[in-house]
Amino acid sequence: MRRLVPILCAFAAVIALGGADQPAPRRLHQAYSDEQKAELDRVSAALNAIHTLKSGFLQIGPDGQVDQGELYLEKPGKIRFAYRPPSPVLIVATGGTVYVKNARLNTIDHYDLSDTPLGLLLNDKVDLKTNPAVIGVDNRDGAIVVQARTSTNRNNSNIALVFDAPSLELDNQGGSTTVALQQPQRDAVLEQSLFAVPVKAPPVKMKQSRN
C-alpha cells in the first residue's frame, strides 16, 4: 500500500509526503469556511471535467531514481499505470479493486479502491468538501493544497493535491516523489482491454532430457 501513494502522483499530482505520518492540518474535524468550501468546489469541478485521460509520465523518486510509463484513465473507477522496463510494475484499478503486479516476482497484490488515494479521485462525481478522506484545505503561495488521507481509518494526512491558482492547473512539485505528466490527452478513446485484471505468468515447464 505504501508504494501506491507515490505512484498515484501521476494523476492529479498527488504528492507523497513521506513514509512517516505528517502533522494533522489545523482544521482537522472542523467545519470549512465559506472560502474553503469555494476552493474545494473549484477543485472538484476541475476533477469532474476529466472523463478519460491518456498520458506518458515521468516519476523521480526521493533517491533520484527515474521511472517512466504510460497512464490511462477512465472514470468512474478505472486507471492503468504501465511502467516501462526495467521496472516490473503494472497497476490496474477496475471493479472497485486496485491490482499491483510485479512481473519480476510474478506476484499480484490487490487492495480495495476506497482504501487508496484513487478512491478520492476516480469517482464519477467528485465532491471534495463532503469526502471523509479530505481533512483540510489551505491556500499557500498562490496554490490550493488539499490535505487528504489514503484511508478513512487514518487520523492524519499523508497525501496532498496541489493546484496552481487561479487556473487550477495541477502542480507536480514538492514531497518526496515528483511525477510529471507528458503530453496528456483528455477525452481520449481507450480500449477496455487496458483495464483487464492482471494475471500471473504461467509456470515455466522444464524440458526433460532424454538419455
Side-chain angles (χ1 to χ4, degrees), residues 41 49 67 73 88 113 127 134 138 163 171 182 187 191 201 210:
D41 283 341
D67 290 303
L73 176 147
L113 179 62
D127 186 355
V134 176
D138 290 292
F163 297 82
D171 195 3
Q182 299 176 314
D187 300 321
E191 296 290 338
R210 296 181 178 179

Side-chain angles (χ1 to χ4, degrees), residues 31-51:
Y32 296 123
S33 67
D34 290 342
E35 181 181 357
Q36 289 176 310
K37 290 179 181 179
E39 289 177 337
L40 289 172
D41 283 341
R42 290 176 61 205
V43 173
S44 297
L47 293 175
N48 286 329
I50 299 174
H51 301 291

Side-chain angles (χ1 to χ4, degrees), residues 27-210:
R27 299 185 183 93
L28 180 61
H29 302 313
Q30 296 183 22
Y32 296 123
S33 67
D34 290 342
E35 181 181 357
Q36 289 176 310
K37 290 179 181 179
E39 289 177 337
L40 289 172
D41 283 341
R42 290 176 61 205
V43 173
S44 297
L47 293 175
N48 286 329
I50 299 174
H51 301 291
T52 64
L53 183 71
K54 175 182 178 181
S55 179
F57 66 87
L58 177 71
Q59 175 178 305
I60 304 174
D63 58 355
Q65 179 179 340
V66 177
D67 290 303
Q68 298 184 69
E70 284 73 42
L71 161 70
Y72 306 91
L73 176 147
E74 181 177 299
K75 294 168 64 177
K78 296 178 181 179
I79 199 167
R80 175 187 177 98
F81 294 92
Y83 280 74
R84 298 175 190 168
S87 174
V89 176
L90 169 67
I91 298 176
V92 177
T94 188
T97 301
V98 181
Y99 300 89
V100 182
K101 179 178 180 178
N102 186 314
R104 184 178 300 137
L105 301 177
N106 200 22
T107 59
I108 298 176
D109 298 317
H110 55 87
Y111 310 93
D112 190 82
L113 179 62
S114 62
D115 288 334
T116 75
L118 286 177
L120 179 69
L121 300 169
L122 290 183
N123 292 333
D124 195 26
K125 179 64 175 178
V126 176
D127 186 355
L128 296 179
K129 70 175 182 293
T130 62
N131 193 306
V134 176
I135 55 179
V137 58
D138 290 292
N139 197 309
R140 303 177 191 171
D141 299 324
I144 298 174
V145 181
V146 179
Q147 297 285 352
R149 51 192 173 180
T150 53
S151 170
T152 55
N153 294 326
R154 300 180 62 94
N155 291 321
N156 295 340
S157 66
N158 65 335
I159 62 172
L161 287 74
V162 183
F163 297 82
D164 285 338
S167 63
L168 291 186
E169 290 295 326
L170 297 168
D171 195 3
N172 64 351
Q173 300 177 5
S176 60
T177 299
T178 298
V179 177
L181 297 184
Q182 299 176 314
Q183 298 181 328
Q185 303 173 37
R186 289 192 181 187
D187 300 321
V189 177
L190 304 178
E191 296 290 338
Q192 290 306 299
S193 59
L194 292 168
F195 308 109
V197 175
V199 297
K200 294 183 180 180
V204 177
K205 294 183 179 180
M206 301 295 293
K207 292 185 178 180
Q208 296 182 350
S209 59
R210 296 181 178 179

